[in-house]
Amino acid sequence: MSGEIRDVIVIGSGPAGYTAALYTARADLKPLVFEGSVTAGGALMNTTEVENFPGFPEGIVGPDLMDGMRAQAARFGAELVTDDVVAVNLTGRIKTVTDTSGTAHRARTVIVTTGSQHRKLNLDREDELSGRGVSYCATCDGFFFRERDIVVVGGGDTAMEEATFLTRFARSVTVIHRRSTLRASQAMQNRAFADEKISFAFDSEITEIKQESNALSGLVLRNVLSGETRELAATGLFVAIGHDPRTELFTGQLDLDDEGYLKVQAPSTRTNIPGVFGAGDVVDHTYRQAITAAGSGCAAALDAERYLAALT
Ligand code: FAD
């Protein structure tokens, strides 16, 4: 057990975590930040150009943006640790957060910003071509796919929304879905069916990603009913089969919704446990953007500050 009782521990180091760290550090609360061991810096460490984070008119590459956020939090005294949290006890007035060495760190408040993981197809070349034709976010990357033939995988609301959004840029959009009917709401389906640029391949799955000159060049589709395969030329693949929020650590302590996202008392970032706050993609299944994650990280820091002020 570490001796000190901190004011704030932040779990996570994406835009939400670093922003919460920056604000609490500037409020002189000396936050301890667990950045995670594998994905310190969060989801944007795996991307190239970010063109929609305000303040960078020429765009900025994801890792540079995150390095800047990290340095800014550190400048004001945030203590940053590249380690995972493996256990938490959040129920009492003093919370404990345990790292991989087994040391329990104590704090009056905890800000949870552990993000969410987009689901993958788990195909060969998928990781390699991420950012080179394979994407998991139409809002983020659609702009790069002007006049291209694009494929969207999925049958839910997100897939329909992404397909419809992508028609602004693409020459054609083909929606691939494993079943014969969509899961999306009727309104979303109607919009997609009415769009001349969108076509559908039902009862189909992708079995292979084709590559040419280090970029996506096409896909092999298999009809799940007949077993027949065919090739489809495409230079963009948007995977929209859902996200898994990283909340396993908190199960049984913090209230989660049906999809496993952390529940907060919106518009605040308060969870069901006093002194514990949630921000970023671990809470948000609607917007999922760096700027919205940063904004809610700021809100969580301000909520934590107010909570601490009320304790004294
Ligand atoms: P994340 O960035 O996911 O960070 C979560 C953090 O929690 C990580 O640092 C991880 O290490 C840490 N963590 C998790 N569990 C633990 C634990 N047990 N212990 C310690 N740490 C832990 N958004 C845009 O606005 N513009 C874009 O152009 C854009 N492009 C994208 C491209 C890709 C390929 C992806 C995947 C996403 C993109 N996004 C983009 C979305 C954006 O990255 C996310 O919305 C944003 O990163 C969410 O921030 P977050 O802080 O909530 O979570």
Side-chain angles (χ1 to χ4, degrees):
M1 175 88 67
S2 132
E4 187 182 357
I5 299 177
R6 304 242 175 194
D7 279 323
V8 183
I9 289 178
V10 178
I11 310 176
S13 61
Y18 283 148
T19 306
L22 168 65
Y23 272 75
T24 50
R26 288 194 75 245
D28 226 9
L29 296 173
K30 301 181 176 54
L32 174 63
V33 183
F34 284 96
E35 298 182 282
S37 60
V38 182
T39 49
L44 287 181
M45 297 302 279
N46 298 318
T47 191
T48 49
E49 282 301 310
V50 177
E51 291 192 332
N52 55 8
F53 199 88
F56 300 93
E58 303 304 323
I60 180 166
V61 291
D64 287 355
L65 177 63
M66 298 319 299
D67 286 351
M69 287 192 197
R70 184 178 202 273
Q72 197 174 355
R75 179 181 155 213
F76 293 103
E79 189 182 331
L80 305 161
V81 184
T82 309
D83 195 6
D84 294 315
V85 169
V86 294
V88 293
N89 186 343
L90 304 172
T91 45
R93 207 165 157 206
I94 303 298
K95 289 91 179 61
T96 58
V97 166
T98 306
D99 65 23
T100 54
S101 73
T103 306
H105 303 263
R106 294 184 290 171
R108 292 174 191 86
T109 67
V110 172
I111 299 177
V112 177
T113 66
T114 45
S116 71
Q117 175 69 41
H118 55 78
R119 290 191 198 137
K120 293 183 187 179
L121 296 171
N122 292 321
L123 290 171
D124 284 350
R125 302 202 181 102
E126 184 177 354
D127 285 342
E128 198 181 318
L129 295 181
S130 171
R132 295 194 174 85
V134 178
S135 172
Y136 302 87
C137 173
T139 312
C140 312
D141 298 334
F143 192 79
F144 301 120
F145 289 81
R146 282 187 187 284
E147 288 307 309
R148 309 264 210 104
D149 295 312
I150 297 179
V151 163
V152 173
V153 189
D157 277 345
T158 305
M160 290 315 105
E161 196 176 321
E162 302 227 327
T164 308
F165 174 76
L166 287 166
T167 57
R168 293 184 199 180
F169 314 100
R171 186 163 51 203
S172 74
V173 177
T174 308
V175 175
I176 315 271
H177 186 43
R178 256 196 310 202
R179 300 180 210 289
S180 37
T181 51
L182 299 169
R183 269 182 300 108
S185 64
Q186 200 56 52
M188 298 291 265
Q189 292 193 32
N190 293 346
R191 235 171 103 194
F193 285 137
D195 197 315
E196 283 178 358
K197 280 193 182 177
I198 302 179
S199 58
F200 291 82
F202 287 109
D203 301 313
S204 298
E205 62 183 13
I206 299 174
T207 54
E208 196 183 329
I209 294 176
K210 298 257 178 203
Q211 170 184 356
E212 236 177 67
S213 315
N214 211 16
L216 176 82
S217 61
L219 303 162
V220 177
L221 301 191
R222 190 179 79 93
N223 184 299
V224 294
L225 302 179
S226 66
E228 272 173 36
T229 59
R230 68 178 168 107
E231 278 198 30
L232 182 66
T235 52
L237 168 63
F238 285 79
V239 182
I241 55 173
H243 288 75
D244 295 312
R246 294 195 197 90
T247 47
E248 317 80 57
L249 267 182
F250 314 107
T251 313
Q253 297 185 54
L254 295 179
D255 285 349
L256 308 178
D257 71 14
D258 291 345
E259 293 173 64
Y261 285 82
L262 196 58
K263 276 191 182 172
V264 295
Q265 294 162 26
S268 86
T269 62
R270 289 192 297 271
T271 66
N272 57 304
I273 299 182
V276 182
F277 306 89
D281 283 11
V282 72
V283 171
D284 170 18
H285 33 103
T286 310
Y287 304 109
R288 287 196 280 258
Q289 293 295 293
I291 188 66
T292 48
S296 68
C298 159
L302 297 178
D303 286 342
E305 262 180 63
R306 281 175 199 149
Y307 172 86
L308 288 163
L311 290 182
T312 53

